[in-house]
Each structure stands twice: as C-alpha cells, then as structure tokens.
Amino acid sequence: MKLQRMNRRALTLGALAVSGALALTACGSDDTGKSDAGGSSAPTAAAGSIKCDDAKGQLQASGSSAQKNAIDAWVKAYTAACKGVQINYNPTGSGAGVTAFTQGQTAFAGSDSALKPEEATAAKKACDGNNAVDLPMVGGPIAIGYNLPGVDNLVLDASTIAKIFDGKIKTWDDEAIAKLNPDAKLPSTKIQAFHRSDESGTTDNFTKYLKAVSPSDWKYSGGKAWQAQGGQSAQGSSGLAQQVKQTAGAISYFELSYAADGISTVDLKTEAATPVKATVENATKAISSAKVAGVGNDLALELNYKPTEEGAYPLTLVTYEIVCEKGNKADTLAATKSFLTYIASEDGQKQLTAAQYAPIPDEIITKVRSTVANLS
C-alpha cells in the first residue's frame, strides 16, 4: 500500500511539472463533506481568476457522486472569491440529479452519462422550451477496488470482471482469476460483489465497458440502473468504497478518489502487453481519444473503451454538468454562468488535480467555455 501511495505521489509531482499538460495528482476524500481536496496540497485559484460578475444568492445543484470531491474543491475556491453566492450541491447520484433538474428543482445537474433522448425532452420543460446541453467538466478512471488480505496485486480482464459481477465466478481461487494471476496466493474466499443501489452514471459507464469489451459475457442492455441478478448493493460511490473496506472478499467499482484511503485496485488486462493500472494519467490517455457525439452546442462524448495505446486505462467516465442552453431562471443565471465559467477555466480544471480526477482535454474544454459564455 505504501508503495502504491508513493507511486501516485511521484506521478503527481511529475505531472505538475509539465507545462500545459493535463495535471495529475493523488489525494484522498470521502463522501461525507470532509475532503482534503481543498487542503494545503491543492492548487488555489488566483484571486483575480474568478469573475463573480453579478452573481449572488443560492445555487442549488445535485447529481453525480463521482464528481463530489471535485465539486467540493471548486465550491471552496469559488465561494471564497464570490462571497455573495452559496452553492449547495447534493451528491444524490446521476439519475436523481437529472430528475431534479428536469423537474426544475436545480440550476444544473451533474451526471456521469449524457442525457438520453427522453431525458432531453423532459429537460425542455425546465428550460422554458429550450434545449439542455451536456458540458463535460470532469474526467477520470473508474477503479475496481477489492479487499483480499494477502493479495496486494490483482489482474483481471473484462471477461472475468463480467463473470464476477454476474455471479458466474463465485470464489477468489477460481481458475479464470488464477490464470491471470499465476504468482498470487489466491484464497478460496467467497467473492462479495457490490453494485450501486441507486441509479448511477458510474454504473452506466462500468457496464458500457463490459458490454463493449466482452459482450458474450455481459449480455445486459446497460444503463444507470443495475440489471444483473445477485450481488449486494450500497448507496453512492462512498457506500461501495465503505463496503469494500470492511468486507473481506469484497469487490466493487467507484471513482479512483474513493480508493485513495487504503483500498487496493485491480490492474486491467487489455490488448496491450502490460496490464494497466487505474491512474489518472492512464485514464487521460484513453479519454483523449473520445469524440464529440453531441449536436450543436451539446458536447456529449463517445468514449473509447478499446484504446490501442500502451498504458491507456479503458474503464473511464466523464461527468457532465447539464444546464439549460437558453431559458435559465433569471435569479440563478448570473451565478450559474459565473460558477460554470470558473470550473471550465484553466484554474478550475487545475483544481481537479487535488482529488485524482483528469482535466478535460483542451480541444473539448475550449468548446465548453464558449457554450457557457453564451448561456442565457
């Protein structure tokens, strides 16, 4: 574990030294509001880099728990500069966040999946007949965390992962796992697979990966709601991480920042020669090959779950801030634009480095900034 932490810190120092590159770091947080993402190791926004304009009042938002640690850092920096604004972000999960937004309860939603057609139609009601847009703001790896005393390094491939979460592989000494880990002393411990109980964009992206890479082993249609039978469930990414920490034999999926507190993570066997570790740097390599699939100012991305680049970690997600392109409520428009402008800015994206997230690639975040500037 100590070696893992040292390696992550080394990655951080190296990445921060690269001018203009996607900055990377490793730092822990939980989902209780206690976060060191804004601590002394976090980059702080320059006083003049945040433009408050006429922003004031309360800004209500909810959704993705995957981005909570990033939101914590952003809110801390932003509200220190714009003291007239109070931002309340509730990490209810992507599905609940989108629902609250379409019902007009929030100024924007955080979601690890772009709006589905039916959700986009529902969002028009909240946007006074106008379209909502998906703005990618946060990238990063989905780690597969496990608790298996005596096994510090574990390699799995998509087929084996699919069988584990579908209940087809039941013990840790199964032949399929042993074949991928010939040097490991695998116990006969029963596998305790945990999935999200709430609708989650993390679940959506996790199952998209399984479906894309190993369709013969994962035959479910996918989506925010968990579809496979069996296993155990927990609320939010923090709930899954807590279950893994306290349950011998457990395995689950969550954003890398939730694995920072002593949880071992799986290396993924891909077509590359060497299994790929779950790091921000490796996820960035995969995210950089994403393509914009949205129409007009909608910037929904098509992720590449089968990257060919050596060291590219394919199990990734991008979190979107979903907001009305036009038709925003007059009393929250100024604060919404001001806050989104900040988090899409160079300084805002640098804040992601304090919580093990990957900044959005330059060619995409530039388009995000342009769309935010024209919100009305």
Side-chain angles (χ1 to χ4, degrees):
M1 297 302 177
K2 291 183 178 177
L3 181 59
Q4 282 185 329
R5 294 192 186 103
M6 289 173 65
N7 288 339
R8 288 175 180 167
R9 290 171 183 166
L11 280 172
T12 299
L13 293 173
L16 289 174
V18 180
S19 175
L22 295 178
L24 311 172
T25 194
C27 190
S29 177
D30 60 24
D31 203 18
T32 63
K34 298 178 181 178
S35 172
D36 62 6
S40 59
S41 63
T44 55
S49 67
I50 299 176
K51 305 300 182 183
C52 304
D53 296 325
D54 298 322
K56 59 183 179 180
Q58 290 193 357
L59 201 60
Q60 304 292 337
S62 66
S64 166
S65 64
Q67 70 167 355
K68 179 189 178 295
N69 297 334
I71 288 284
D72 285 347
W74 281 333
V75 169
K76 181 176 181 179
Y78 178 82
T79 54
C82 303
K83 301 185 183 301
V85 181
Q86 180 182 346
I87 300 174
N88 301 310
Y89 183 82
N90 190 1
T92 54
S94 296
V98 170
T99 297
F101 175 74
T102 59
Q103 293 177 349
Q105 299 172 10
T106 54
F108 66 89
S111 177
D112 306 322
S113 300
L115 290 172
K116 302 293 189 294
E118 63 273 16
E119 293 172 335
T121 299
K124 285 189 175 183
K125 297 179 180 179
C127 298
D128 197 23
N130 299 286
N131 292 325
V133 288
D134 299 288
L135 303 178
M137 290 287 190
V138 183
I142 299 175
I144 300 177
Y146 68 96
N147 181 342
L148 198 58
V151 180
D152 295 330
N153 297 291
L154 186 69
V155 175
L156 296 176
D157 58 15
S159 173
T160 306
I161 294 168
K163 291 174 182 176
I164 287 173
F165 281 89
D166 198 25
K168 300 295 192 298
I169 293 178
K170 301 180 184 299
T171 62
W172 280 108
D173 60 351
D174 186 274
E175 182 179 355
I177 301 176
K179 185 177 180 180
L180 291 166
N181 300 272
D183 297 328
K185 295 182 179 179
L186 299 169
S188 59
T189 306
K190 180 181 178 181
I191 294 175
Q192 306 282 351
F194 287 88
H195 58 265
R196 288 281 287 269
S197 60
D198 53 321
E199 289 199 356
S200 161
T202 311
T203 293
D204 191 14
N205 283 277
F206 176 62
T207 55
K208 279 180 180 176
Y209 162 75
L210 297 178
K211 187 175 178 64
V213 183
S214 191
S216 61
D217 298 306
W218 193 261
K219 299 182 178 181
Y220 303 97
S221 60
K224 294 186 180 76
W226 185 258
Q227 295 175 324
Q229 301 299 308
Q232 302 176 67
S233 64
Q235 175 84 18
S237 295
S238 61
L240 292 181
Q242 183 61 33
Q243 289 297 331
V244 170
K245 285 187 68 174
Q246 67 186 23
T247 307
I251 187 170
S252 191
Y253 57 93
F254 33 74
E255 297 68 44
L256 184 60
S257 62
Y258 291 97
D261 189 18
I263 296 178
S264 297
T265 59
V266 168
D267 295 349
L268 291 182
K269 180 71 174 69
T270 66
E271 295 302 316
T274 305
V276 187
K277 293 186 178 299
T279 69
V280 175
E281 183 181 41
N282 291 342
T284 297
K285 292 179 181 179
I287 293 173
S288 294
S289 64
K291 298 179 180 179
V292 175
V295 177
N297 288 322
D298 184 82
L299 298 174
L301 300 179
E302 181 180 335
L303 297 175
N304 180 10
Y305 295 110
K306 297 180 180 179
T308 58
E309 184 179 0
E310 194 76 21
Y313 185 83
L315 182 46
T316 62
L317 61 73
V318 168
T319 297
Y320 302 89
E321 311 312 333
I322 298 171
V323 64
C324 298
E325 183 175 9
K326 297 180 180 179
N328 287 280
K329 295 177 181 178
D331 59 344
T332 58
L333 175 60
T336 299
K337 287 187 68 171
S338 175
F339 182 65
L340 295 182
T341 295
Y342 161 60
I343 68 177
S345 71
E346 183 177 352
D347 279 338
Q349 288 290 294
K350 284 180 180 178
Q351 286 289 330
L352 296 176
T353 67
Q356 282 192 298
Y357 297 101
I360 300 300
D362 287 344
E363 62 272 18
I364 297 173
I365 202 66
T366 299
K367 296 177 182 178
V368 171
R369 292 165 186 159
S370 176
T371 299
V372 172
N374 292 307
L375 295 179
S376 63

